[in-house]
Amino acid sequence: MKKVLVTGGLGYIGSHTVVALQEAGFEVLVIDDLSNAELEVVERIEKITGILPHFEQIDLREKKSVTDFFDRNKMDGIIHFAASKAVGESVENPLLYYENNLNTLIYLLQQCDSHKITNFIFSSSCTVYGEPDNLPVTENAPIKLALSPYGNTKQISEEIIFDSCAASALQSISLRYFNPIGAHESAEIGELPIGTPQNLVPFITQTAAGLRDELSVFGDDYPTKDGSCIRDYVHVVDLANAHVVALQRLFSEENLLNYEVFNLGTGKGNSVLEVVHAFEKVTGEKLNYKIVGRRHGDVVSVYADTTKANEILGWKTQRTMEEALASAWKWEKKLRGS
Ligand code: WQD
């Protein structure tokens, strides 16, 4: 049984990926510093799969702790999620983001080198494209000047991995997520925003649950079908499954290059207002919202060209945005004990 390390494995996408890996027959080791995740997620993963992942609370910025973990644990591959990911916070505190997102990656790659681990999946983001010139956006689209330190850390991380692959036996795949939404059908795991949600869907579900008075829609004067911004909302379970497919690609040496990149999206763009109305339709809940000014740094429209992921990676989304919204609502209600 191959052993896989998942860093940030108790986080939103990480925990769903741990479930998918266990269900695919991998033994999973999880590292998380619990800065943006809850320890009880370990038990919730076990409740879904019947397998308790090996978990260690480690701050990957502590190089000694990282080397110690690798000295004690043998693994065949790594999926690296652990990173700070709040766009706004990264603008206020860039050095925290450069330290946490880049130093940790470097320490992990150094361990891959010293422990001959050659399979590395990286959690990247469509944010590397900035405002694309053409839509849908392909993996060959130019990498634009990052709109935030967070986005810049994703761009720099991809370059660090690319150079490491060129200089060593490392084989890696970067997965560029569009907008992950939804939760596992069991409602045992899902998005757990700390404080006020920055992202659209958790803010919608908290508003519908009565935790927030109303949703602010950041602008309806954009050059889009209804004036609100367009994104590619992808079910988190589909996203998790893509990581298993990508890792199996490396294990079976099907990768065409030692460094590959894939967009993970549905290929469909939906506006903010379409998401709001779809949520109301799917749940029967009336959503209280108001149109306010634009949010600084928002791109007008971004959605994926999924040709490469579908035809080369061999992965395609199976779930609709409506199913994702329904699962997000089920998760929110479970969180609130209803
Ligand atoms: C989506 C749309 C908002 C909240 C970010 C990161 C990206 C990834 C996903 C980490 C936008 C609008 C939102 C609200 C709103 N994160 N919105 N009211 O900004 O596309 O992507 O999160 O990997 O890297 O950049 O996602 O959910 O914040 O916003 O109107 O209360 O919803 O303006 O148009 P975004 P989002």
Side-chain angles (χ1 to χ4, degrees):
M1 180 186 277
K2 288 202 179 296
K3 286 169 79 168
V4 181
L5 167 62
V6 179
T7 73
L10 299 191
Y12 175 39
I13 306 170
S15 56
H16 286 84
T17 303
V18 171
V19 166
L21 285 165
Q22 289 184 329
E23 289 175 343
F26 292 102
E27 182 181 345
V28 181
L29 309 168
V30 175
I31 285 178
D32 203 300
D33 67 358
L34 298 180
S35 64
N36 192 24
E38 291 176 5
L39 180 59
E40 67 176 302
V41 171
V42 183
E43 280 77 37
R44 297 215 199 116
I45 290 170
E46 183 187 24
K47 205 166 170 194
I48 297 171
T49 64
I51 306 163
L52 186 71
H54 172 91
F55 170 71
E56 292 190 34
Q57 182 177 353
I58 293 175
D59 182 341
L60 291 171
R61 290 173 298 185
E62 290 165 16
K63 189 170 183 176
K64 177 76 183 65
S65 306
V66 177
T67 51
D68 172 59
F69 178 86
F70 279 78
D71 289 343
R72 288 186 287 107
N73 293 284
K74 188 181 170 341
M75 63 214 81
D76 302 292
I78 298 175
I79 303 182
H80 179 41
F81 291 102
S84 302
K85 54 152 239 165
V87 172
E89 183 189 44
S90 78
V91 174
E92 287 152 28
N93 195 345
L95 292 181
L96 171 81
Y97 274 67
Y98 289 113
E99 182 195 36
N100 192 35
N101 293 6
L102 300 181
N103 287 7
T104 56
L105 172 67
I106 292 165
Y107 296 158
L108 284 173
L109 293 176
Q110 287 170 334
Q111 293 308 306
C112 287
D113 211 27
S114 50
H115 292 270
K116 306 279 176 280
I117 299 166
T118 58
N119 304 297
F120 191 88
I121 304 293
F122 177 64
S123 165
S124 191
S125 167
C126 65
T127 204
V128 302
Y129 297 119
E131 185 81 62
D133 299 327
N134 302 301
L135 288 169
V137 63
T138 71
E139 290 84 352
N140 302 320
I143 301 299
K144 292 279 189 74
L145 187 65
L147 296 172
S148 68
Y150 160 75
N152 203 25
T153 65
K154 289 299 178 185
Q155 291 179 1
I156 298 169
S157 294
E158 287 197 13
E159 289 166 13
I160 290 171
I161 297 166
F162 177 85
D163 289 340
S164 302
C165 290
S168 70
L170 187 71
Q171 307 284 303
S172 183
I173 294 175
S174 282
L175 298 174
R176 291 176 181 164
Y177 314 150
F178 283 69
N179 287 61
I181 62 169
H184 189 269
E185 60 192 7
S186 64
E188 289 298 334
I189 54 176
E191 199 162 2
L192 278 170
I194 294 175
T196 309
Q198 299 304 306
N199 292 132
L200 177 64
V201 171
F203 205 107
I204 286 176
T205 57
Q206 287 193 10
T207 304
L211 272 76
R212 309 283 163 196
D213 294 336
E214 66 181 4
L215 168 75
S216 297
V217 172
F218 297 138
D220 70 346
D221 58 350
Y222 286 98
T224 62
K225 47 190 149 178
D226 60 18
S228 61
C229 293
I230 292 174
R231 297 288 186 275
D232 183 334
Y233 295 96
V234 52
H235 197 299
V236 67
V237 174
D238 281 336
L239 208 59
N241 291 334
H243 292 74
V244 180
V245 172
L247 195 61
Q248 285 167 330
R249 178 179 177 84
L250 292 182
F251 283 151
S252 50
E253 298 179 4
E254 288 167 12
N255 49 310
L256 306 173
L257 299 167
N258 59 12
Y259 179 68
E260 293 181 313
V261 176
F262 295 99
N263 286 342
L264 297 187
T266 66
K268 191 172 176 305
N270 282 110
S271 73
V272 175
L273 289 170
E274 281 175 331
V275 176
V276 170
H277 299 139
F279 179 83
E280 291 181 317
K281 183 160 172 269
V282 158
T283 62
E285 300 289 334
K286 185 83 186 79
L287 197 69
N288 197 18
Y289 69 91
K290 69 178 175 192
I291 308 292
V292 299
R294 296 181 173 188
R295 179 173 70 174
H296 178 68
D298 271 336
V299 300
V300 181
S301 180
V302 59
Y303 53 93
D305 180 308
T306 58
T307 309
K308 198 176 166 192
N310 300 161
E311 295 178 7
I312 296 179
L313 182 59
W315 169 86
K316 192 172 171 51
T317 48
Q318 308 295 318
R319 294 160 181 84
T320 63
M321 181 183 75
E322 289 73 13
E323 286 172 277
L325 292 170
S327 68
W329 181 230
K330 182 180 174 189
W331 163 247
E332 184 68 59
K333 287 190 290 184
K334 177 92 178 277
L335 275 181
R336 309 304 157 209
S338 58

